[in-house]
Amino acid sequence: MAAPGTGMRCLAPLSHFDGLGSGFARGSSLSSRQGSLGVVYVVGAGPGDSGLLTLRAARLLANADVVVCDEAVGDGIRGLIGFGAEVVPVGGGGQRCEAGRAGTVQVLAEAAARAETVVRLIAGDPYVFSEGAWEARALWARGVPCELVPGVTAAIAAPVLAGFPITA
């Protein structure tokens, strides 16, 4: 089963993930692992402007049953969450303590157990400081299907929006 708007999944068990983002298995099938669990999509809010969110992220937000959302995500992006979706606020992005991360993973696992589509919406770029990767690895360790959804990184968008080219 493909993710909405795509023909591919980006799923990996812990043995295929080296912690640096270079070991993802692509095109994996969920049929043997998914069972009755929903899928958790780890999505970054990027620079914070809803116009800079990827189309894929916007589609996932519009169709999610549950959105586990950093409190730091702005109202413009929150406005893309579909009517009727359950919104669960969690710590404000860049959670650095194990208790906060573990609590978020618990919320995600519980939501996946009862929902078809769960979006973990992280403020900023969830793969720059490893929040998204850490949470995904913890979900995979629990057997919860999880897909990483890369987006526009603020590291590129901010200078470009200010009129500075990345390369000269």
Side-chain angles (χ1 to χ4, degrees):
M1 174 158 87
T6 73
M8 167 175 50
R9 291 203 177 271
C10 178
L11 301 165
L14 285 175
S15 61
H16 291 107
F17 184 75
D18 64 9
L20 300 175
S22 62
F24 296 110
R26 298 193 183 274
S28 301
S29 170
L30 283 179
S31 58
S32 61
R33 294 183 63 210
Q34 187 172 3
S36 62
L37 290 177
V39 176
V40 176
Y41 296 92
V42 181
V43 175
D49 181 337
S50 61
L52 295 175
L53 202 63
T54 65
L55 290 174
R56 179 124 192 279
R59 287 182 189 129
L60 287 168
L61 287 171
N63 294 301
D65 298 308
V66 178
V67 178
V68 179
C69 182
D70 280 351
E71 292 174 351
V73 172
D75 291 338
I77 292 175
R78 286 176 183 252
L80 298 174
I81 297 171
F83 180 77
E86 176 186 359
V87 179
V88 181
V90 294
Q95 300 173 24
R96 299 293 180 246
C97 69
E98 290 295 311
R101 287 177 169 176
T104 299
V105 169
Q106 181 66 31
V107 168
L108 291 167
E110 289 172 2
R114 66 177 196 276
E116 187 173 315
T117 304
V118 180
V119 172
R120 170 61 172 110
L121 184 59
I122 299 177
D125 188 333
Y127 309 111
V128 170
F129 293 108
S130 306
E131 288 306 309
W134 191 96
E135 291 176 6
R137 287 173 38 189
L139 289 165
W140 288 324
R142 291 176 176 224
V144 177
C146 181
E147 182 175 340
L148 305 180
V149 181
V152 175
T153 180
I156 299 297
V160 169
L161 290 172
F164 297 101
I166 302 305
T167 60

